[in-house]
Amino acid sequence: MNQLLILFLFVGVFTKGVAQTTYKMANAKVYACKGKLTDSEGNKQSAKKYANNENLIFTVCVKGASTINIKFNGPFCTESLSDYLRVYKGNDTNGTLLRTYTGTINNPIAINAGDSCVTFYFHSDANIVCDGWDLNWEAKITSVPQPKFSAIADPSCNSNKIRVFLDQKFNCDSVKAANFKLSGALSTIISNVTAINCDSKNESNTFDVSFVSGLNKSGNYVLNFNSSFKDACDSIWMINAKLNFKITDCPINLVLKTNKTILCKGSCAVLT
């Protein structure tokens, strides 16, 4: 019978720059780690100004982000009170209202959204228009969910394979025998790793880890897993996880010696 004992994890991170895209205010949802958002510039009579009668919702969501920082690149200008930009925490306008911008603001206050999503809502009426705004957002991913082995198929004596379940998905082609190492009561080489039920993105959280020879000795074993993955902001996180398990149903081979040359039924002897 196999017993899951403990999981240890080490996480490291390497970061690199992420390209930035410019978006115009529109009814849209994007998942970019960083970007620039301007007003719609949809006014046909006056270039670079927003249009009348706009009601637009623009949402940014970045998986794993602890916050999204918003900073304006210059003055903000709309018709005071009648036209305004509202910024909400979360993935829709039902979230907490963080700030409303309206009128002429020379130095608009920056925002720390404190969430993995932020939503912009802009309204304009049928009258005066202005130059709008130009802002940047950048998400911050400061940690990643720690992957865990949630279960493994119970290996019995002479098993040459263990099915491992992780609580996160990995690319099916990126997890290989070199990512695993087995040690313990019997040391054997990992011969192959096979991904199970890969999805449309070629990802899976289930892998069969095969050994060169069967585990034919009871005792404690340690399965080490080393891998890496790229987060939504293109940072590379290094992972090392360790899974302890037991095999208890292998026969125990004993060599017994007695203090007598001949044993008869009913007689006593010392076994060592």
mmCIF file of all heavy atoms in Angstrom, residues 233-268:
data_model
loop_
_atom_site.group_PDB
_atom_site.id
_atom_site.type_symbol
_atom_site.label_atom_id
_atom_site.label_comp_id
_atom_site.label_asym_id
_atom_site.label_seq_id
_atom_site.Cartn_x
_atom_site.Cartn_y
_atom_site.Cartn_z
ATOM 1 N N CYS A 233 3.053 37.033 -17.182
ATOM 2 C CA CYS A 233 3.939 38.155 -17.490
ATOM 3 C C CYS A 233 5.279 37.685 -18.031
ATOM 4 O O CYS A 233 6.261 38.440 -18.045
ATOM 5 C CB CYS A 233 4.131 39.015 -16.246
ATOM 6 S SG CYS A 233 2.608 39.828 -15.695
ATOM 7 N N ASP A 234 5.329 36.424 -18.449
ATOM 8 C CA ASP A 234 6.512 35.828 -19.083
ATOM 9 C C ASP A 234 7.700 35.640 -18.150
ATOM 10 O O ASP A 234 8.828 35.458 -18.612
ATOM 11 C CB ASP A 234 6.953 36.634 -20.313
ATOM 12 C CG ASP A 234 6.009 36.441 -21.491
ATOM 13 O OD1 ASP A 234 5.187 35.514 -21.427
ATOM 14 O OD2 ASP A 234 6.093 37.207 -22.455
ATOM 15 N N SER A 235 7.473 35.680 -16.849
ATOM 16 C CA SER A 235 8.528 35.325 -15.909
ATOM 17 C C SER A 235 8.597 33.800 -15.794
ATOM 18 O O SER A 235 7.570 33.121 -15.819
ATOM 19 C CB SER A 235 8.258 35.933 -14.527
ATOM 20 O OG SER A 235 8.344 37.341 -14.583
ATOM 21 N N ILE A 236 9.804 33.261 -15.665
ATOM 22 C CA ILE A 236 10.002 31.825 -15.575
ATOM 23 C C ILE A 236 10.213 31.449 -14.108
ATOM 24 O O ILE A 236 11.128 31.955 -13.444
ATOM 25 C CB ILE A 236 11.221 31.372 -16.402
ATOM 26 C CG1 ILE A 236 11.057 31.834 -17.856
ATOM 27 C CG2 ILE A 236 11.386 29.863 -16.329
ATOM 28 C CD1 ILE A 236 9.864 31.256 -18.570
ATOM 29 N N TRP A 237 9.372 30.565 -13.601
ATOM 30 C CA TRP A 237 9.441 30.118 -12.217
ATOM 31 C C TRP A 237 9.995 28.698 -12.180
ATOM 32 O O TRP A 237 9.508 27.805 -12.881
ATOM 33 C CB TRP A 237 8.065 30.150 -11.569
ATOM 34 C CG TRP A 237 7.491 31.530 -11.454
ATOM 35 C CD1 TRP A 237 6.837 32.229 -12.420
ATOM 36 C CD2 TRP A 237 7.528 32.379 -10.310
ATOM 37 N NE1 TRP A 237 6.458 33.463 -11.964
ATOM 38 C CE2 TRP A 237 6.872 33.576 -10.658
ATOM 39 C CE3 TRP A 237 8.031 32.233 -9.019
ATOM 40 C CZ2 TRP A 237 6.722 34.626 -9.761
ATOM 41 C CZ3 TRP A 237 7.877 33.283 -8.127
ATOM 42 C CH2 TRP A 237 7.233 34.467 -8.501
ATOM 43 N N MET A 238 11.018 28.489 -11.360
ATOM 44 C CA MET A 238 11.622 27.177 -11.187
ATOM 45 C C MET A 238 10.978 26.480 -9.986
ATOM 46 O O MET A 238 10.813 27.087 -8.925
ATOM 47 C CB MET A 238 13.131 27.296 -10.978
ATOM 48 C CG MET A 238 13.844 28.119 -12.045
ATOM 49 S SD MET A 238 13.580 27.512 -13.722
ATOM 50 C CE MET A 238 14.366 25.900 -13.598
ATOM 51 N N ILE A 239 10.627 25.214 -10.162
ATOM 52 C CA ILE A 239 9.908 24.470 -9.128
ATOM 53 C C ILE A 239 10.661 23.195 -8.781
ATOM 54 O O ILE A 239 11.156 22.491 -9.658
ATOM 55 C CB ILE A 239 8.505 24.084 -9.608
ATOM 56 C CG1 ILE A 239 7.685 25.331 -9.891
ATOM 57 C CG2 ILE A 239 7.785 23.227 -8.575
ATOM 58 C CD1 ILE A 239 6.394 25.037 -10.567
ATOM 59 N N ASN A 240 10.730 22.892 -7.489
ATOM 60 C CA ASN A 240 11.248 21.617 -7.036
ATOM 61 C C ASN A 240 10.297 21.059 -5.988
ATOM 62 O O ASN A 240 10.101 21.675 -4.946
ATOM 63 C CB ASN A 240 12.655 21.761 -6.441
ATOM 64 C CG ASN A 240 13.138 20.477 -5.810
ATOM 65 O OD1 ASN A 240 13.029 20.302 -4.601
ATOM 66 N ND2 ASN A 240 13.638 19.587 -6.638
ATOM 67 N N ALA A 241 9.660 19.949 -6.284
ATOM 68 C CA ALA A 241 8.721 19.340 -5.348
ATOM 69 C C ALA A 241 9.187 17.938 -5.003
ATOM 70 O O ALA A 241 9.782 17.246 -5.835
ATOM 71 C CB ALA A 241 7.317 19.309 -5.950
ATOM 72 N N LYS A 242 8.922 17.496 -3.777
ATOM 73 C CA LYS A 242 9.361 16.181 -3.326
ATOM 74 C C LYS A 242 8.204 15.425 -2.703
ATOM 75 O O LYS A 242 7.516 15.952 -1.826
ATOM 76 C CB LYS A 242 10.506 16.327 -2.324
ATOM 77 C CG LYS A 242 11.066 15.001 -1.822
ATOM 78 C CD LYS A 242 12.347 15.198 -1.038
ATOM 79 C CE LYS A 242 12.127 15.885 0.274
ATOM 80 N NZ LYS A 242 13.369 15.959 1.075
ATOM 81 N N LEU A 243 7.996 14.214 -3.141
ATOM 82 C CA LEU A 243 6.884 13.390 -2.662
ATOM 83 C C LEU A 243 7.428 12.125 -2.021
ATOM 84 O O LEU A 243 8.178 11.383 -2.647
ATOM 85 C CB LEU A 243 5.964 13.037 -3.834
ATOM 86 C CG LEU A 243 4.751 12.188 -3.495
ATOM 87 C CD1 LEU A 243 3.774 12.984 -2.649
ATOM 88 C CD2 LEU A 243 4.070 11.711 -4.760
ATOM 89 N N ASN A 244 7.055 11.888 -0.765
ATOM 90 C CA ASN A 244 7.462 10.681 -0.063
ATOM 91 C C ASN A 244 6.329 9.661 -0.102
ATOM 92 O O ASN A 244 5.162 10.017 0.106
ATOM 93 C CB ASN A 244 7.798 10.986 1.393
ATOM 94 C CG ASN A 244 9.038 11.835 1.541
ATOM 95 O OD1 ASN A 244 9.719 12.113 0.556
ATOM 96 N ND2 ASN A 244 9.333 12.265 2.753
ATOM 97 N N PHE A 245 6.642 8.409 -0.364
ATOM 98 C CA PHE A 245 5.628 7.352 -0.313
ATOM 99 C C PHE A 245 6.258 6.055 0.166
ATOM 100 O O PHE A 245 7.480 5.933 0.270
ATOM 101 C CB PHE A 245 4.956 7.160 -1.680
ATOM 102 C CG PHE A 245 5.867 6.665 -2.763
ATOM 103 C CD1 PHE A 245 5.983 5.304 -3.025
ATOM 104 C CD2 PHE A 245 6.603 7.547 -3.545
ATOM 105 C CE1 PHE A 245 6.816 4.833 -4.031
ATOM 106 C CE2 PHE A 245 7.435 7.090 -4.549
ATOM 107 C CZ PHE A 245 7.547 5.734 -4.799
ATOM 108 N N LYS A 246 5.406 5.066 0.485
ATOM 109 C CA LYS A 246 5.865 3.778 0.984
ATOM 110 C C LYS A 246 5.333 2.631 0.135
ATOM 111 O O LYS A 246 4.243 2.717 -0.407
ATOM 112 C CB LYS A 246 5.393 3.555 2.428
ATOM 113 C CG LYS A 246 6.089 4.373 3.476
ATOM 114 C CD LYS A 246 5.559 4.012 4.846
ATOM 115 C CE LYS A 246 6.264 4.791 5.939
ATOM 116 N NZ LYS A 246 5.733 4.441 7.284
ATOM 117 N N ILE A 247 6.111 1.576 0.055
ATOM 118 C CA ILE A 247 5.630 0.285 -0.435
ATOM 119 C C ILE A 247 5.774 -0.697 0.718
ATOM 120 O O ILE A 247 6.849 -0.784 1.331
ATOM 121 C CB ILE A 247 6.418 -0.189 -1.671
ATOM 122 C CG1 ILE A 247 6.094 0.709 -2.865
ATOM 123 C CG2 ILE A 247 6.083 -1.637 -1.996
ATOM 124 C CD1 ILE A 247 6.819 0.327 -4.124
ATOM 125 N N THR A 248 4.705 -1.407 1.021
ATOM 126 C CA THR A 248 4.707 -2.263 2.220
ATOM 127 C C THR A 248 4.347 -3.715 1.935
ATOM 128 O O THR A 248 4.315 -4.513 2.873
ATOM 129 C CB THR A 248 3.710 -1.710 3.260
ATOM 130 O OG1 THR A 248 2.395 -1.690 2.699
ATOM 131 C CG2 THR A 248 4.103 -0.304 3.689
ATOM 132 N N ASP A 249 4.060 -4.068 0.669
ATOM 133 C CA ASP A 249 3.540 -5.425 0.427
ATOM 134 C C ASP A 249 4.526 -6.350 -0.275
ATOM 135 O O ASP A 249 4.137 -7.409 -0.780
ATOM 136 C CB ASP A 249 2.244 -5.355 -0.383
ATOM 137 C CG ASP A 249 2.435 -4.715 -1.749
ATOM 138 O OD1 ASP A 249 3.485 -4.086 -1.970
ATOM 139 O OD2 ASP A 249 1.531 -4.859 -2.594
ATOM 140 N N CYS A 250 5.804 -5.982 -0.347
ATOM 141 C CA CYS A 250 6.790 -6.897 -0.928
ATOM 142 C C CYS A 250 7.162 -7.978 0.083
ATOM 143 O O CYS A 250 7.275 -7.707 1.287
ATOM 144 C CB CYS A 250 8.039 -6.137 -1.344
ATOM 145 S SG CYS A 250 7.811 -5.109 -2.812
ATOM 146 N N PRO A 251 7.375 -9.225 -0.365
ATOM 147 C CA PRO A 251 7.794 -10.304 0.546
ATOM 148 C C PRO A 251 9.121 -9.956 1.211
ATOM 149 O O PRO A 251 9.991 -9.317 0.615
ATOM 150 C CB PRO A 251 7.945 -11.515 -0.378
ATOM 151 C CG PRO A 251 7.147 -11.182 -1.586
ATOM 152 C CD PRO A 251 7.229 -9.692 -1.745
ATOM 153 N N ILE A 252 9.255 -10.400 2.442
ATOM 154 C CA ILE A 252 10.503 -10.205 3.168
ATOM 155 C C ILE A 252 11.297 -11.502 3.108
ATOM 156 O O ILE A 252 10.836 -12.555 3.557
ATOM 157 C CB ILE A 252 10.232 -9.811 4.639
ATOM 158 C CG1 ILE A 252 9.447 -8.509 4.690
ATOM 159 C CG2 ILE A 252 11.536 -9.686 5.409
ATOM 160 C CD1 ILE A 252 9.053 -8.090 6.080
ATOM 161 N N ASN A 253 12.459 -11.472 2.531
ATOM 162 C CA ASN A 253 13.314 -12.652 2.428
ATOM 163 C C ASN A 253 14.241 -12.718 3.640
ATOM 164 O O ASN A 253 15.002 -11.790 3.908
ATOM 165 C CB ASN A 253 14.145 -12.592 1.144
ATOM 166 C CG ASN A 253 13.276 -12.618 -0.096
ATOM 167 O OD1 ASN A 253 12.302 -13.360 -0.159
ATOM 168 N ND2 ASN A 253 13.629 -11.811 -1.084
ATOM 169 N N LEU A 254 14.150 -13.840 4.373
ATOM 170 C CA LEU A 254 14.951 -14.027 5.576
ATOM 171 C C LEU A 254 15.820 -15.272 5.453
ATOM 172 O O LEU A 254 15.412 -16.283 4.871
ATOM 173 C CB LEU A 254 14.050 -14.189 6.803
ATOM 174 C CG LEU A 254 13.158 -12.988 7.172
ATOM 175 C CD1 LEU A 254 12.279 -13.338 8.355
ATOM 176 C CD2 LEU A 254 14.010 -11.774 7.496
ATOM 177 N N VAL A 255 17.001 -15.228 6.003
ATOM 178 C CA VAL A 255 17.875 -16.391 6.153
ATOM 179 C C VAL A 255 17.998 -16.674 7.642
ATOM 180 O O VAL A 255 18.530 -15.846 8.389
ATOM 181 C CB VAL A 255 19.258 -16.141 5.535
ATOM 182 C CG1 VAL A 255 20.170 -17.353 5.766
ATOM 183 C CG2 VAL A 255 19.127 -15.854 4.049
ATOM 184 N N LEU A 256 17.455 -17.845 8.093
ATOM 185 C CA LEU A 256 17.439 -18.208 9.506
ATOM 186 C C LEU A 256 18.474 -19.289 9.789
ATOM 187 O O LEU A 256 18.637 -20.232 9.006
ATOM 188 C CB LEU A 256 16.055 -18.703 9.917
ATOM 189 C CG LEU A 256 14.908 -17.689 9.755
ATOM 190 C CD1 LEU A 256 13.579 -18.322 10.101
ATOM 191 C CD2 LEU A 256 15.151 -16.469 10.627
ATOM 192 N N LYS A 257 19.167 -19.139 10.880
ATOM 193 C CA LYS A 257 20.118 -20.145 11.324
ATOM 194 C C LYS A 257 19.711 -20.635 12.703
ATOM 195 O O LYS A 257 19.184 -19.878 13.518
ATOM 196 C CB LYS A 257 21.529 -19.550 11.374
ATOM 197 C CG LYS A 257 22.074 -19.125 10.012
ATOM 198 C CD LYS A 257 23.477 -18.554 10.142
ATOM 199 C CE LYS A 257 24.033 -18.161 8.782
ATOM 200 N NZ LYS A 257 25.421 -17.602 8.883
ATOM 201 N N THR A 258 19.959 -21.952 12.955
ATOM 202 C CA THR A 258 19.633 -22.524 14.266
ATOM 203 C C THR A 258 20.909 -22.965 14.959
ATOM 204 O O THR A 258 21.967 -23.119 14.349
ATOM 205 C CB THR A 258 18.696 -23.736 14.116
ATOM 206 O OG1 THR A 258 19.449 -24.858 13.652
ATOM 207 C CG2 THR A 258 17.562 -23.431 13.152
ATOM 208 N N ASN A 259 20.769 -23.220 16.262
ATOM 209 C CA ASN A 259 21.898 -23.726 17.053
ATOM 210 C C ASN A 259 21.926 -25.248 17.083
ATOM 211 O O ASN A 259 22.707 -25.849 17.821
ATOM 212 C CB ASN A 259 21.861 -23.164 18.467
ATOM 213 C CG ASN A 259 20.611 -23.605 19.226
ATOM 214 O OD1 ASN A 259 19.638 -24.067 18.619
ATOM 215 N ND2 ASN A 259 20.637 -23.451 20.543
ATOM 216 N N LYS A 260 21.055 -25.875 16.252
ATOM 217 C CA LYS A 260 21.019 -27.327 16.189
ATOM 218 C C LYS A 260 21.162 -27.778 14.747
ATOM 219 O O LYS A 260 20.684 -27.133 13.826
ATOM 220 C CB LYS A 260 19.719 -27.857 16.777
ATOM 221 C CG LYS A 260 19.583 -27.609 18.273
ATOM 222 C CD LYS A 260 18.292 -28.226 18.814
ATOM 223 C CE LYS A 260 18.176 -28.007 20.331
ATOM 224 N NZ LYS A 260 16.938 -28.625 20.865
ATOM 225 N N THR A 261 21.810 -28.922 14.582
ATOM 226 C CA THR A 261 21.979 -29.458 13.235
ATOM 227 C C THR A 261 20.690 -30.067 12.733
ATOM 228 O O THR A 261 20.335 -29.944 11.559
ATOM 229 C CB THR A 261 23.086 -30.526 13.228
ATOM 230 O OG1 THR A 261 24.293 -29.962 13.745
ATOM 231 C CG2 THR A 261 23.328 -31.048 11.824
ATOM 232 N N ILE A 262 19.930 -30.735 13.617
ATOM 233 C CA ILE A 262 18.684 -31.402 13.243
ATOM 234 C C ILE A 262 17.567 -30.854 14.110
ATOM 235 O O ILE A 262 17.701 -30.756 15.336
ATOM 236 C CB ILE A 262 18.797 -32.925 13.433
ATOM 237 C CG1 ILE A 262 19.912 -33.469 12.510
ATOM 238 C CG2 ILE A 262 17.465 -33.607 13.092
ATOM 239 C CD1 ILE A 262 20.168 -34.943 12.720
ATOM 240 N N LEU A 263 16.447 -30.494 13.469
ATOM 241 C CA LEU A 263 15.245 -30.061 14.194
ATOM 242 C C LEU A 263 14.182 -31.122 14.128
ATOM 243 O O LEU A 263 13.836 -31.599 13.036
ATOM 244 C CB LEU A 263 14.715 -28.738 13.600
ATOM 245 C CG LEU A 263 15.539 -27.484 13.826
ATOM 246 C CD1 LEU A 263 14.897 -26.304 13.108
ATOM 247 C CD2 LEU A 263 15.704 -27.182 15.295
ATOM 248 N N CYS A 264 13.676 -31.514 15.273
ATOM 249 C CA CYS A 264 12.604 -32.522 15.330
ATOM 250 C C CYS A 264 11.329 -31.856 15.802
ATOM 251 O O CYS A 264 11.337 -30.858 16.523
ATOM 252 C CB CYS A 264 12.997 -33.653 16.290
ATOM 253 S SG CYS A 264 14.456 -34.563 15.787
ATOM 254 N N LYS A 265 10.190 -32.446 15.408
ATOM 255 C CA LYS A 265 8.888 -31.914 15.794
ATOM 256 C C LYS A 265 8.784 -31.867 17.307
ATOM 257 O O LYS A 265 9.044 -32.862 18.003
ATOM 258 C CB LYS A 265 7.780 -32.784 15.217
ATOM 259 C CG LYS A 265 6.389 -32.257 15.502
ATOM 260 C CD LYS A 265 5.332 -33.122 14.838
ATOM 261 C CE LYS A 265 3.927 -32.590 15.130
ATOM 262 N NZ LYS A 265 2.888 -33.442 14.493
ATOM 263 N N GLY A 266 8.441 -30.741 17.823
ATOM 264 C CA GLY A 266 8.264 -30.575 19.267
ATOM 265 C C GLY A 266 9.512 -30.138 19.984
ATOM 266 O O GLY A 266 9.454 -29.822 21.170
ATOM 267 N N SER A 267 10.624 -30.090 19.280
ATOM 268 C CA SER A 267 11.860 -29.683 19.956
ATOM 269 C C SER A 267 12.031 -28.156 19.865
ATOM 270 O O SER A 267 11.335 -27.481 19.099
ATOM 271 C CB SER A 267 13.067 -30.371 19.313
ATOM 272 O OG SER A 267 13.217 -29.950 17.967
ATOM 273 N N CYS A 268 12.904 -27.648 20.647
ATOM 274 C CA CYS A 268 13.146 -26.213 20.700
ATOM 275 C C CYS A 268 14.534 -25.906 20.121
ATOM 276 O O CYS A 268 15.456 -26.722 20.246
ATOM 277 C CB CYS A 268 13.070 -25.704 22.129
ATOM 278 S SG CYS A 268 11.428 -25.870 22.880
#
